[in-house]
DNA sequence: TGTACATCAGTGAACGCGCGTTCACTGATGTAC
DNA sequence: TGTACATCAGTGAACGCGCGTTCACTGATGTAC
């Protein structure tokens, strides 16, 4: 619980710590949207946490959708940058390890990100779907499936694989513990922290490379 | 678009097709909640699709949460029954194939189910979280991790596996294409139908059993 | 068999609340002279 | 250097809308006599 600053009259505030209001709004919104969902979160709640007036949302972001868009863009930046870096490394081999490591690295540090993406992705009629779909199609699709395709052609991966199905399998097996943590965390007894991230990354790389069956 | 029946005056309606109003409400609600999210769906929209008055929601389900609970319970019934049947079969071996086949069989026919579960699971403060968590803890947890644990102990699966992480990996890799279909379907070029279900099941079983790497 | 009536599935108009959004205003800051 | 003023980050009260929910009623059905 953040204590609201004692006296905040009208008029232009002192310049110290002023331009951070926008950033506080974005981070409070990421927190609330990812926990409660976009529609169920009120701007009043976000503004309260950011120690700011609800009118500031219109001031900075036009409207509630604009605030969500700012959150989404920030998250996509994180994701695209990490994946691009992981796949662009010149070294051969270990493609699965690099991809899984990069992806889990980002979402282990920012669990709000996959939660917001999934919600946004589920909502059929949101105009922001276009924004996401366009950025995803432009920045991720030319990167990941072709990299998998090359690894398949090179025999690093099984030659009977469908790259598109494989991308979805990898993302799905990485993301579920982070999306479901609010329910499954208490039930299965885990918390999202660096230790869990390391353990789950090792588990996932082994599963993706060799599968689950024993007696190899 | 369902055409509303022409004349529907007040008073007790003719008994034909009358008790189905409740079922129509549940199925319309499953459709809307899974597509637009719980908070973003209005009871008026659901009632319109079910060709029924919004007041009927209160009549049958007490309130909006009660309607969601009815949808959730119906979905959990489907899921629990399929998993229980798959794991209870007396035959040995092929545990992964049976689990994945049962799970994908249900969600390929009812894609609304994982979407609603994920949304409900993400929302931190929903009272229905308790309902889901209790049923899940009571009916699924005693079933799946122990079955995996037995397979690990028997050497059917790798002996270094953590059953809890393994459950999450399996569910995640199965569920993602269904959750993300509204966005990824058009981008990757797939639709959810029996053909996709069969193809994705084969792909997922192979991945879970043997992994992705080539040159075996 | 005919009739009076209790039942209860369902109506539809209205309610109040909380939401996103608007807008006339404020006053410290930075600048021009 | 001192002063007048344009700028603009931010306020806060108010607006209207659409939501979930309520409730006094309705009238076909099934039943008792």
């Amino acid at each position: 619980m953040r204590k609201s600053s004692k006296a905040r009259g009208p008029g232009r505030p002192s310049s110290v710590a002023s331009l951070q209001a926008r950033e506080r709004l974005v981070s409070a919104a990421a927190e609330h949207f990812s926990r409660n969902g976009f529609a169920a979160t009120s701007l009043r709640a976000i503004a309260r946490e950011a120690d700011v007036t609800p009118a500031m949302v219109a001031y900075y972001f036009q409207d509630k959708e604009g605030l969500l868009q700012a959150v989404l863009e920030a998250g996509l930046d994180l994701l695209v940058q990490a994946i691009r870096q992981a796949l662009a490394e010149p070294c051969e081999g270990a493609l699965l390890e690099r991809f899984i490591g990069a992806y889990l690295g980002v979402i282990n540090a920012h669990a709000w990100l996959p939660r917001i993406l999934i919600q946004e992705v589920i909502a059929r009629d949101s105009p922001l779907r276009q924004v996401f779909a366009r950025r995803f199609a432009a920045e991720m699709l030319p990167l990941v499936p072709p990299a998998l395709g090359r690894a398949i052609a090179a025999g690093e991966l099984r030659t009977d694989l469908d790259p598109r199905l494989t991308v979805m399998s990898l993302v799905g097996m990485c993301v579920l513990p982070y999306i479901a943590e609010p329910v499954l965390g208490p039930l299965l007894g885990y918390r999202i922290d660096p230790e869990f991230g390391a353990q789950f990354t090792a588990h996932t790389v082994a599963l993706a490379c060799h599968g689950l069956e024993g007696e190899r």
Side-chain angles (χ1 to χ4, degrees), chain A:
Chain A
M1 284 292 135
R2 171 183 255 279
K3 199 110 181 275
S4 102
S5 60
K6 275 157 191 170
R8 172 62 103 57
R12 189 173 187 170
S14 69
S15 66
V16 181
S18 162
L19 270 179
Q20 301 164 354
R22 205 195 119 102
E23 292 169 35
R24 288 206 309 276
L25 267 176
V26 171
S27 106
E31 188 68 15
H32 275 76
F33 288 160
S34 74
R35 281 213 302 239
N36 305 121
F38 175 73
T41 300
S42 77
L43 292 183
R44 283 166 171 83
I46 294 173
R48 203 181 311 126
E49 181 160 324
D51 195 20
V52 134
T53 290
M56 298 251 48
V57 171
Y59 185 73
Y60 281 131
F61 306 98
Q62 188 96 328
D63 54 17
K64 194 187 185 187
E65 288 252 325
L67 177 54
L68 174 58
Q69 178 164 349
V71 171
L72 254 181
E73 301 269 17
L76 282 175
D77 285 343
L78 285 170
L79 208 53
V80 168
Q81 186 187 336
I83 297 298
R84 176 166 290 151
Q85 187 173 321
L87 296 191
E89 275 167 15
C91 66
E92 297 270 320
L95 171 69
L96 291 178
E97 195 167 350
R98 281 185 282 136
F99 178 80
I100 292 170
Y103 188 58
L104 283 180
V106 171
I107 68 180
N108 199 74
H110 308 281
W112 56 268
L113 174 51
R115 289 183 200 150
I116 287 185
L117 285 180
I118 285 288
Q119 288 183 269
E120 198 43 43
V121 143
I122 286 176
R124 189 173 294 266
D125 295 323
S126 150
L128 279 179
R129 279 268 303 280
Q130 316 281 346
V131 173
F132 172 77
R134 211 171 300 126
R135 280 199 63 180
F136 185 87
E139 301 178 41
M140 298 293 272
L141 278 191
L143 225 57
V144 184
L148 283 172
R150 284 193 300 276
I152 291 168
E156 183 188 342
L157 301 183
R158 285 187 357 241
T159 53
D160 61 330
L161 286 176
D162 178 329
R164 301 164 310 135
L165 295 187
T166 307
V167 180
M168 293 198 284
S169 298
L170 288 174
V171 171
M173 63 195 261
C174 285
V175 92
L176 189 111
Y178 297 90
I179 287 173
E181 186 270 346
V183 158
L184 292 190
L187 288 179
L188 297 181
Y190 71 94
R191 282 197 336 272
I192 295 173
D193 54 23
E195 185 194 341
F196 174 79
Q199 184 190 355
F200 187 63
T201 301
H203 161 89
T204 303
V205 169
L207 162 51
C209 290
H210 312 120
L212 299 171
E213 281 190 345
E215 309 168 21
R216 317 194 63 240

